[in-house]
Amino acid sequence: MSATDVATVTLEIDGRELTVPKGTPLVLAAATAGVEIPIFCYEPRLGPAIGACRMCLVEVEGMPKLQAACTLTAGDGMKVHTRSASAAEGQEAVLEFILLNHPLDCPVCDKGGECPLQDLTYRYGPGNTRFHLNKRTYEKPLAISPLIALDRERCILCYRCTRFSQDVAEDEQLVARERGATSVIATFEDQPYRGRFSGNVIELCPVGALTSTEYRFKARPWEITNVPSVCALCPTGCNTWASVREGGVQRMISRNHPGVDEGWLCDKGRFAHVHMSAGDRYLQGLVRGPRGLEPATAEQLAETIARRLRHHATLHGPESIAVVASGEQSNEEAHAWAELVRVAGGGALVGNGFPGGGDWDALAPYAATIAELDRADLIVVSGEREVGDAAGVLELRVRQAVRRGARLLLVGSGGGDLDHVAGGRIAAGEIEAALRAAEHPVLIATEPAAVAAAAAVAHAAGLGGGPGGVLAVPEGPNERGLHALGYREDAAAVLKRAEDGTLQMLVVLGDADPLSRFPEPERWEAALQRCESVVASSLFPTPTALWAHVILPATAALEKDGTITNLEGRTQRLRPVLPAPAGVHPELAVLAAAGRHLGLELEASPSRAFGRVAEAAPLFAGLTWELIGETAPLASRRPTAAKAPRAAAPAAAPSGDGLRAVGRRPLFAGAAVARTERLAFQRSDEIVLARADALRLGIAEGAPVTVRHAGGTTSGAARLSRTLAPGAVRFAWDGAPVDGECTVEGQA
Ligand code: SF4
Ligand code: SF4
Ligand code: FES
């Protein structure tokens, strides 16, 4: 037998003969033959089957009793009957047993209409009940967190939720308490279920026991329209369904893309969509006049932008104009801005405000895909920012790889969530040797400084031709697309030009506000004051918008039609789930109107604008609107490295023997999260200290502490860590990354 041959077995299910790979669970084998076996607890994404619910009972010839098809593997010569009289009797009996204590409150249950228990009872269950006693009741609903409600009496103890918590997110927060008939699902010590991925248990629950506090009683499945979209709140690009009813997005659920998210969402992607209707959203354009900012129509905005662009380019040349984009812009919007600036006379395009921002061209020959983590034997995570903070559900893929047997090494100070599954911590100088020693290594770079160094390390380790590569995480959701479209200028160079008076017009697009997110905000503020024209395009007021002469209200991702490109270079489609509010005009239309003032024909139609994008950069070559479709394929072309990437300067070693601040942006940060009240409890105010440092400073676990660092002051509760490197002080910081000396004080 050749190495590529897979051992197979041939069996018969309900009279149909089929051949499947050896080891296939019977449930899956039946599915390949088009035979459905009813299930509740079986869910391959949660790990091996546990056979908890017995819903999948089938008759196997030669076996004395009915068998659970999820825990049985397909065997050669097996003859299986899923609807024989005895199988049907077993399935009906299981449903009758499950329904002993399950309230028949489908008409008022949130799951009604999309409930596996309801559906399977209709198809496989008894037509009536023989049970006339009172059913078990519990206090309800229990808020297991501000996001999730638990109606315990509906729980059928399938353990999907606890297995997700323990075996997928590995946060160990959901547990089954008590035993046997009194067993109940609970959070550990009744604490709120905190974690980046808690909302997935709502989707996993096959009954209405775990429901979303946001969606409860909002809609019935037959009243909603599910629109396919992509989450644009981080660079992972998870695939989603937006459930729309009565002109509003009622919930976001996953739309499993095996290559991207495997059907998981983080809580930011699942719940933060409510920011779109926050009260402080810009609902009309504004242009500064003699009496301050005054309402402006789309045409007035377009005319003002075009006039100012032309004025500055003509009088002061291309050095006088810069566009700083956050990565929340679609490829089509970013391309339209780039074209406007080019036609006006030129200017700088900035797509990342941080020093060392990703050089994606240098990385391209070494690029890995997200799915490649499934085959990796070694994963090295480089960067102080945690994987789950930088790229949400990518953390779940890393954890899965480690459970499968991949070795995980971390580069950085430690003290983060992956420490407990990592095989150790290495220095930056040891990455190359580690990568060389592995057969299929993947290097994940989680922040701009690590991204800059990744290409050189990958090259030195010989990752160009063989398996393995680099997964680099950009700051902005669509930073990859922006970079391909020419947003490559260094923000520091633009700042210098602003300070020496050369820069006259600054366009700031989105949430990457220089005054709150970039290094040295004071210098940016002084520079902004010197600019003659500041244009801000944003959903909400930002510190920069206060200086703006033109405010172009932005559309939210769920209102956009267009494309964005995720961290692995996959270009996916955003769909306009809802129309933008009345006074907010699609940016493409405003920019096309501005183009007309400059004699430039821009496409206002997103599909045609994508045609221009596809021609503008090799990253999009060969892609069409139709090809992207709902499941965006990933072009797997890797260019060969033309020359060795430049080695990045080594990061400055911490000076002296004092404490060193490590402040990084958490997942639950940014304008959308700030406007999602339900997510407030997820924001951590922990200050993580190495145990030895805390003891030396006399700081106890949970004690209030204040850290003074280069970025400002951060206060919170001390968490003492055994895995954080001595000297490091880790905390959540929304602004530019903080590294450098700090002082820590315990508060009275
Ligand atoms: S709460 Fe839902 S997912 Fe969890 S064990 Fe009960 S039925 Fe299963
Ligand atoms: S991981 Fe990122 S893309 Fe995925 S749901 Fe979360 S915020 Fe959205
Ligand atoms: S699905 Fe097989 S025992 Fe639950």
Side-chain angles (χ1 to χ4, degrees):
M1 193 174 76
S2 85
T4 52
D5 280 342
V6 179
T8 56
V9 292
T10 299
L11 67 160
E12 200 182 287
I13 301 181
D14 289 353
R16 296 180 209 188
E17 191 178 279
L18 64 149
T19 301
V20 292
K22 205 172 169 187
T24 306
L26 204 49
V27 170
L28 292 185
T32 62
V35 175
E36 188 204 38
I37 297 178
I39 52 164
F40 289 124
C41 67
Y42 181 67
E43 167 52 88
R45 293 178 301 157
L46 299 175
I50 58 164
C53 72
R54 317 312 285 176
M55 186 63 241
C56 61
L57 291 181
V58 293
E59 184 185 349
V60 182
E61 285 185 22
M63 293 192 177
K65 290 199 235 166
L66 295 178
Q67 299 293 313
C70 66
T71 52
L72 199 66
T73 50
D76 212 26
M78 225 179 214
K79 285 199 169 143
V80 182
H81 304 280
T82 71
R83 293 303 290 152
S84 64
S86 85
E89 190 190 351
Q91 291 157 1
E92 186 178 301
V94 167
L95 276 166
E96 184 174 40
F97 180 69
I98 288 175
L99 294 174
L100 278 185
N101 271 312
H102 188 89
L104 295 180
D105 61 352
C106 306
V108 294
C109 173
D110 224 45
K111 195 82 170 180
E114 53 183 11
C115 173
L117 178 58
Q118 192 181 39
D119 294 346
L120 295 185
T121 301
Y122 273 115
R123 292 167 53 206
Y124 297 91
N128 50 34
T129 181
R130 294 185 287 159
F131 188 74
H132 298 292
L133 303 172
N134 285 340
K135 297 196 177 197
R136 192 173 49 199
T137 56
Y138 291 103
E139 181 195 337
K140 67 174 275 174
L142 296 172
I144 65 167
S145 81
L147 300 167
I148 305 169
L150 168 62
D151 289 89
R152 257 185 194 150
E153 73 289 353
R154 292 182 187 146
C155 172
I156 62 167
L157 287 175
C158 70
Y159 305 110
R160 280 178 169 220
C161 54
T162 51
R163 283 151 70 207
F164 174 81
S165 168
Q166 285 162 29
D167 302 338
V168 178
E170 298 176 338
D171 54 37
E172 310 275 339
Q173 296 199 36
L174 276 186
V175 292
R177 216 162 54 194
E178 313 302 343
R179 303 189 65 110
T182 54
S183 188
V184 290
I185 299 302
T187 50
F188 183 68
E189 294 193 335
D190 289 332
Q191 294 294 308
Y193 184 3
R194 271 204 182 85
R196 296 185 180 104
F197 312 106
S198 71
N200 290 293
V201 299
I202 299 168
E203 269 189 73
L204 283 168
C205 183
V207 298
L210 294 171
T211 51
S212 159
T213 57
E214 179 213 7
Y215 182 64
R216 252 171 106 86
F217 309 128
K218 284 266 194 74
R220 286 302 196 180
W222 51 89
E223 298 166 336
I224 55 176
T225 310
N226 286 326
V227 185
S229 193
V230 169
C231 176
L233 292 174
C234 96
T236 310
C238 296
N239 288 211
T240 55
W241 291 110
S243 300
V244 182
R245 180 184 183 223
E246 290 180 352
V249 174
Q250 307 296 343
R251 68 172 175 186
M252 301 295 294
I253 51 176
S254 68
R255 182 169 63 87
N256 191 339
H257 191 312
V260 180
D261 49 64
E262 293 189 305
W264 309 127
L265 295 181
C266 77
D267 286 2
K268 177 157 86 169
R270 187 180 298 277
F271 298 109
H273 64 91
V274 298
H275 76 280
M276 290 162 63
S277 39
D280 61 343
R281 183 168 170 187
Y282 285 127
L283 293 175
Q284 60 179 1
L286 299 165
V287 171
R288 196 169 291 281
R291 288 184 300 280
L293 287 170
E294 290 168 15
T297 63
E299 178 49 34
Q300 285 166 329
L301 290 170
E303 191 275 327
T304 313
I305 290 169
R307 181 166 36 79
R308 285 184 182 247
L309 278 173
R310 171 162 284 156
H311 168 82
H312 294 299
T314 313
L315 276 188
H316 310 289
E319 299 277 285
S320 65
I321 297 174
V323 178
V324 175
S326 62
E328 289 154 298
Q329 300 68 41
S330 69
N331 289 317
E332 296 70 31
E333 291 162 1
H335 184 246
W337 270 110
E339 283 294 282
L340 272 185
V341 169
R342 181 184 63 76
V343 155
L349 303 175
V350 180
N352 182 315
F354 302 107
D359 182 352
W360 305 102
D361 291 341
L363 273 166
Y366 316 98
T369 62
I370 291 176
E372 210 163 340
L373 288 170
D374 302 350
R375 300 187 292 279
D377 62 341
L378 171 75
I379 299 170
V380 179
V381 177
S382 169
E384 293 287 7
R385 197 161 181 215
E386 293 189 55
V387 175
D389 286 338
V393 302
L394 195 65
E395 175 187 328
L396 298 181
R397 203 101 181 198
V398 172
R399 288 182 182 277
Q400 177 174 264
V402 174
R403 286 194 301 276
R404 178 186 43 75
R407 185 151 189 253
L408 174 66
L409 295 174
L410 305 178
V411 183
S413 307
D417 289 343
L418 283 176
D419 285 8
H420 301 288
V421 293
R425 206 141 43 83
I426 57 171
E430 296 170 303
I431 301 177
E432 184 192 325
L435 297 177
R436 265 185 193 287
E439 275 179 17
H440 199 133
V442 175
L443 170 62
I444 302 180
T446 62
E447 55 185 2
V451 171
V457 161
H459 181 82
L463 291 194
V470 179
L471 262 184
V473 186
E475 280 289 319
N478 188 28
E479 191 177 314
R480 290 289 312 268
L482 263 59
H483 184 268
L485 292 166
Y487 289 70
R488 298 171 177 216
E489 189 104 6
D490 189 358
V494 170
L495 176 58
K496 252 200 207 102
R497 254 179 267 154
E499 286 179 326
D500 69 20
T502 318
L503 190 78
Q504 295 293 317
M505 178 166 184
L506 182 66
V507 179
V508 177
L509 305 179
D511 191 21
D513 180 75
L515 301 192
S516 52
R517 296 282 312 281
F518 288 7
E520 306 186 272
E522 312 76 27
R523 281 178 63 195
W524 275 101
E525 179 153 14
L528 269 181
Q529 294 177 38
R530 305 182 61 158
C531 280
E532 241 180 68
S533 298
V534 175
V535 178
S537 173
S538 169
L539 283 167
F540 307 108
T542 60
T544 297
L546 296 177
W547 298 100
H549 303 94
V550 179
I551 288 181
L552 177 60
T555 48
L558 289 171
E559 296 159 356
K560 283 187 201 296
D561 198 355
T563 63
I564 53 171
T565 305
N566 82 346
L567 60 93
E568 57 180 346
R570 188 189 299 268
T571 297
Q572 308 193 95
R573 173 97 190 270
L574 294 173
R575 282 183 178 72
V577 170
L578 293 177
V584 178
H585 306 282
E587 286 93 324
L588 276 190
V590 178
L591 298 179
R596 281 194 288 280
H597 288 281
L598 296 172
L600 169 71
E601 269 307 311
L602 283 174
E603 294 288 359
S605 137
S607 59
R608 284 204 295 273
F610 180 72
R612 302 250 181 115
V613 166
E615 287 164 12
L619 183 66
F620 311 107
L623 285 180
T624 61
W625 197 246
E626 294 71 30
L627 190 64
I628 292 173
E630 286 193 12
T631 50
L634 179 62
S636 57
R637 289 158 288 128
R638 260 191 190 185
T640 12
K643 56 181 181 357
R646 221 162 6 105
S655 58
D657 54 6
L659 294 171
R660 184 173 57 98
V662 181
R664 289 298 183 274
R665 196 163 209 242
L667 179 70
F668 297 112
V673 171
R675 288 164 179 82
T676 308
E677 216 173 285
R678 277 195 175 85
L679 281 175
F681 81 106
Q682 293 275 27
R683 302 185 69 140
S684 161
D685 72 341
E686 274 179 353
I687 311 271
V688 189
L689 295 161
R691 189 166 287 270
D693 292 327
L695 291 180
R696 182 166 53 82
L697 296 165
I699 295 173
E701 179 82 37
V705 285
T706 296
V707 188
R708 290 182 216 290
H709 50 80
T713 302
T714 306
S715 298
R719 176 163 72 78
L720 277 45
S721 165
R722 288 184 196 280
T723 55
L724 182 67
V729 179
R730 179 181 275 284
F731 51 90
W733 182 251
D734 272 10
V738 174
D739 287 292
E741 285 179 16
C742 68
T743 59
V744 173
E745 292 159 24
Q747 286 168 350

